[in-house]
């Protein structure tokens, strides 16, 4: 029996002996497994599918395309190369696994929820995927991991700012320019900014003369993610879910791309693009980034999953495996790699 089969069977025995081990990280050694026959591959895929927690493949050499079913069944694989977008190349595999283990240990419920959610959004429509994501997010809002993060976060009220959070301009050529305009707060995505962004996108939806929407951010960052000052302030998780779906900026962007023939949405990114700062842009038809742009999905560190549509928009660009890697490591992704993976369309 190969190393891969042994790892899978040992993991399966562990599952039976101690169920449910939500906080588990299973590491499957794929090195030297390219000689597996079809039946062995099917057994490994079945074992991986049954395991709760996060299941990561590791290989010291390129993984052949015939093992694609195995890699697709795993959360992702750390390898020099492999089929499709199922793999990520890293400089230090041990260090990366340590980061993932720390995340799984700190937020086991959120990690398990993420794995299930990515499997769902992979096959659902964009709208249904956003609904599924919101249900998962709202459930975790009531969970112990988010409560622990919220309790540990320094408190401090942010002074209200009565000025508009979004600027809208009509440019020559029937272009609607929409600018996130809270530069002092790195355009933290607040409820006010969400509502004003939706109002701006409604202009494009209702005005047939608008041929293009360009979304930008003022200041040093495009958007540093959800406004942390508002985290934990919703009346209850059920209300939060209904508001999140009804007021989804990601679905509004996606609607302009999908539903209006010839309509285009171009997002121009720079600096920090964190959480919602990449989840919403990833719905757009064209995403342009400056060389200094960088991307991060920090939600698991808060005991949450993405809540701005990221488990729908980002996997459609880079695959659910690299999306999981970004979330489980919490690492920054440089613009050059984002271009290579397809998270952005142009860097320049």
């Amino acid at each position: 029996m190969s190393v891969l089969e042994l790892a899978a069977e040992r993991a399966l025995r562990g599952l039976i002996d101690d169920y449910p081990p939500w906080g588990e990280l299973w590491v499957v050694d794929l090195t030297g497994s390219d000689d597996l026959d079809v039946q062995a591959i099917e057994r490994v895929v079945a074992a991986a599918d049954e395991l709760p927690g996060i299941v990561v493949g590791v290989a010291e050499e390129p993984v052949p395309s015939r093992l694609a079913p195995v890699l697709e069944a795993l959360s992702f694989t750390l390898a020099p190369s492999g089929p499709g977008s199922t793999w990520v190349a890293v400089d230090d595999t041990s260090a990366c696994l340590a980061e993932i283990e720390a995340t799984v240990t700190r937020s086991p419920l959120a990690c398990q929820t993420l794995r299930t959610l990515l499997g769902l959004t992979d096959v659902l429509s964009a709208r249904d995927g956003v609904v599924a994501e919101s249900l998962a997010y709202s459930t975790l809002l009531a969970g112990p991991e988010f409560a622990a993060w919220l309790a540990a976060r320094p408190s401090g009220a942010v002074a209200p700012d009565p000025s508009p959070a979004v600027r809208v301009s009509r440019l020559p050529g029937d272009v609607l320019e929409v600018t996130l305009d809270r530069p002092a707060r790195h355009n933290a995505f607040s409820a006010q900014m969400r509502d004003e962004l939706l109002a701006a996108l409604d202009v494009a939806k209702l005005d047939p003369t608008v041929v293009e929407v360009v979304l930008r951010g003022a200041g040093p960052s495009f958007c540093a993610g959800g406004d942390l000052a508002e985290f934990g302030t919703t009346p209850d998780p059920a209300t939060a879910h209904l508001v999140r779906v009804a007021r989804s900026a990601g679905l509004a962007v996606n609607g302009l791309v999908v539903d209006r023939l010839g309509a285009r949405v171009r997002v121009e990114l720079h600096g920090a693009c964190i959480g919602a700062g990449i989840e919403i842009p990833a719905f757009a038809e064209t995403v342009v980034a400056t060389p200094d742009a960088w991307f991060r999905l920090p939600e698991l560190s808060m005991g949450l999953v993405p809540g701005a549509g990221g488990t729908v928009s980002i996997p459609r660009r880079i695959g659910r495996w690299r999306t999981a890697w970004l979330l489980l490591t919490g690492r920054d992704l440089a613009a050059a790699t984002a271009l290579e993976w397809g998270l952005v369309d142009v860097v320049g």
Side-chain angles (χ1 to χ4, degrees), residues 145-209:
E145 294 162 6
F146 176 67
W149 175 83
L150 200 60
R153 186 173 66 89
S155 59
V158 176
D161 185 349
S163 60
V166 174
R167 271 188 291 116
V168 183
S169 305
R170 189 70 175 250
L171 302 181
D174 292 321
V175 175
L176 191 71
E177 181 187 54
V178 181
T179 304
L180 308 182
D181 197 22
R182 286 284 170 80
R185 301 205 60 217
H186 293 264
N187 297 319
F189 200 71
S190 63
Q192 177 189 354
M193 180 174 285
R194 176 202 63 205
D195 290 344
E196 291 181 16
L197 175 58
L198 286 170
L201 295 175
D202 276 344
V203 172
K205 183 177 180 180
L206 298 172
D207 185 350
T209 66

Side-chain angles (χ1 to χ4, degrees), residues 175-315:
V175 175
L176 191 71
E177 181 187 54
V178 181
T179 304
L180 308 182
D181 197 22
R182 286 284 170 80
R185 301 205 60 217
H186 293 264
N187 297 319
F189 200 71
S190 63
Q192 177 189 354
M193 180 174 285
R194 176 202 63 205
D195 290 344
E196 291 181 16
L197 175 58
L198 286 170
L201 295 175
D202 276 344
V203 172
K205 183 177 180 180
L206 298 172
D207 185 350
T209 66
V210 173
V211 299
E212 185 176 39
V213 177
V214 178
L215 177 59
R216 301 184 171 112
S221 303
F222 172 75
C223 175
D227 191 338
L228 297 185
E230 295 183 353
F231 275 49
T233 61
T234 53
D236 59 81
T239 301
H241 162 65
L242 294 176
V243 171
R244 192 175 301 107
V245 173
R247 308 293 290 166
S248 170
L251 283 182
V253 169
N254 186 69
L256 288 178
V257 172
V258 173
D259 296 335
R260 292 187 59 204
L261 184 63
R264 297 183 65 246
V265 180
R266 186 173 87 245
V267 184
E268 298 181 354
L269 305 177
H270 70 282
C273 307
I274 301 172
I278 183 57
E279 295 172 48
I280 295 169
F283 279 105
E285 182 172 301
T286 303
V287 181
V288 179
T290 58
D292 71 337
W294 55 275
F295 312 90
R296 183 193 301 159
L297 295 175
E299 286 88 348
L300 287 179
S301 67
M302 308 172 190
L304 298 172
V305 293
T311 62
V312 177
S313 61
I314 295 175

Side-chain angles (χ1 to χ4, degrees), residues 57-210:
V58 173
E60 298 177 357
E61 56 201 23
V63 181
S65 58
R66 62 185 301 272
L67 291 182
V70 173
L71 271 64
E72 289 169 1
L74 306 178
S75 300
F76 54 84
T77 295
L78 303 176
S81 65
S85 59
T86 57
W87 58 278
V88 179
V90 295
D91 293 332
D92 189 333
T93 298
S94 296
C96 187
L97 287 174
E99 293 169 3
I100 297 164
E101 184 175 22
T103 300
V104 174
T105 301
R106 179 177 59 246
S107 304
L109 300 176
C111 289
Q112 178 64 36
T113 301
L114 173 70
R115 182 183 174 189
T116 303
L117 180 61
L118 288 175
L120 288 173
T121 58
D122 197 41
V123 298
L124 294 174
S125 68
R127 178 166 182 80
D128 288 347
V130 167
V131 172
E133 177 187 280
S134 180
L135 286 168
Y137 185 95
S138 297
T139 299
L140 292 170
L141 280 179
E145 294 162 6
F146 176 67
W149 175 83
L150 200 60
R153 186 173 66 89
S155 59
V158 176
D161 185 349
S163 60
V166 174
R167 271 188 291 116
V168 183
S169 305
R170 189 70 175 250
L171 302 181
D174 292 321
V175 175
L176 191 71
E177 181 187 54
V178 181
T179 304
L180 308 182
D181 197 22
R182 286 284 170 80
R185 301 205 60 217
H186 293 264
N187 297 319
F189 200 71
S190 63
Q192 177 189 354
M193 180 174 285
R194 176 202 63 205
D195 290 344
E196 291 181 16
L197 175 58
L198 286 170
L201 295 175
D202 276 344
V203 172
K205 183 177 180 180
L206 298 172
D207 185 350
T209 66
V210 173

